[in-house]
Amino acid sequence: MTYFDDFDRAWRYISKNGDADKALSEIIAARAVPDHAQGFMSKQGFVYVSDDLDIEPLRRLEHFHDLALERKRKDPLNPGVTVGDGSFLLGGRYVFPVRSPGGRILALIGWYPDVKRYITTPSRYFSKTHLFYGMEQFAAQPKESFLVEGIFDSLSLRALGLYAFATMGVTVDSPKRAMYPLLGNFLAIPDRDKTGKRVLRRNDWKMPTSGRYLRITQNDQDLEEIYRVKDIDDVCKLYDPADIRSELETA
């Protein structure tokens, strides 16, 4: 068995012992997912995993330690060493996979609307420095796409039938920039916050000739008093999907 075969088996076990209906309904409620996007979100494989998930059956996997699914703690006898505590790292969260360009699982992410928000398994082949979220879309060889910061930003755009990749943070280092040709002609949409404005001002994402920035603006002052638009995910929640797609495709 390869690392990827073991991750597939581990994900099937986790999914079987989790609650997909709970995950979907609570994510939709917590994130105010609009009606038009709910069908797409239901296909993303979200599953709620309780804190008491039994990971003992997964220990039989040859690459169990490389998958990094177990929560760690300091060894009381050797404080400089961490050891597994027998519990699932993402317990109590809504869990979903990060996939390679070939569709194989590279890591799992656990989202929850708390202070931490995202926890990612530090699995052997996962690195935010080297990977985008949504790389399975590379197989379609998109001619046009979007580059955004957040995972849910990308999912909101994909729910509109668009190709969208997430940087999983504000930093785009050279390994990720080397993958720009795989995005086709793309629009980069940083968040509408202090760090996102800095990206635009300094060209932190180092746009190639095939890419350019799109700035999110909010001209409706009445709406801004009620709801300040922070990112493209917010835009997708507030406006008609056909209008959003039309505006993006002609930007």
Side-chain angles (χ1 to χ4, degrees), residues 67-210:
L67 305 185
L69 301 175
E70 188 174 16
R71 189 175 284 122
K72 302 290 186 180
R73 60 175 176 81
K74 290 184 178 180
D75 187 340
L77 301 179
N78 189 348
V81 176
T82 58
V83 295
D85 72 355
S87 64
F88 180 45
L89 176 64
L90 307 180
R93 309 186 81 80
Y94 309 115
V95 183
F96 55 98
V98 179
R99 297 188 181 274
S100 72
R104 304 306 299 269
I105 298 175
L106 296 172
L108 300 179
I109 294 177
W111 178 82
Y112 196 80
D114 57 9
V115 174
K116 294 180 179 179
R117 296 185 67 210
Y118 297 94
I119 298 176
T120 306
T121 57
S123 307
R124 180 177 178 183
Y125 294 117
F126 178 80
S127 166
K128 283 187 178 181
T129 302
H130 294 78
L131 306 173
F132 292 120
Y133 175 79
M135 293 187 301
E136 64 273 19
Q137 298 168 95
F138 287 159
Q141 299 180 329
K143 294 181 180 179
E144 297 180 339
S145 69
F146 296 86
L147 181 63
V148 294
E149 290 189 34
I151 288 170
F152 285 97
D153 294 333
S154 69
L155 292 175
S156 290
L157 289 176
R158 290 170 67 181
L160 297 175
L162 304 170
Y163 294 104
F165 303 86
T167 62
M168 295 186 288
V170 74
T171 303
V172 181
D173 291 320
S174 56
K176 284 181 179 175
R177 297 199 298 269
M179 290 190 285
Y180 279 167
L182 298 174
L183 275 60
N185 295 312
F186 68 97
L187 288 177
I189 314 176
D191 285 359
R192 185 175 173 253
D193 56 13
K194 182 177 180 180
T195 53
K197 291 176 181 177
R198 187 180 64 214
V199 168
L200 292 166
R201 184 175 67 253
R202 304 191 315 192
N203 186 24
D204 283 350
W205 291 0
K206 303 293 188 296
M207 285 295 99
T209 56
S210 60

Side-chain angles (χ1 to χ4, degrees), residues 3 6 79 90 190 201 215-216 232:
Y3 167 93
D6 277 355
L90 307 180
R201 184 175 67 253
R215 183 191 300 270
I216 297 174
I232 195 65

Side-chain angles (χ1 to χ4, degrees), residues 203-223:
N203 186 24
D204 283 350
W205 291 0
K206 303 293 188 296
M207 285 295 99
T209 56
S210 60
R212 58 189 177 90
Y213 292 111
L214 181 65
R215 183 191 300 270
I216 297 174
T217 60
Q218 188 170 2
N219 299 322
D220 188 335
Q221 294 183 355
D222 291 336
L223 176 61

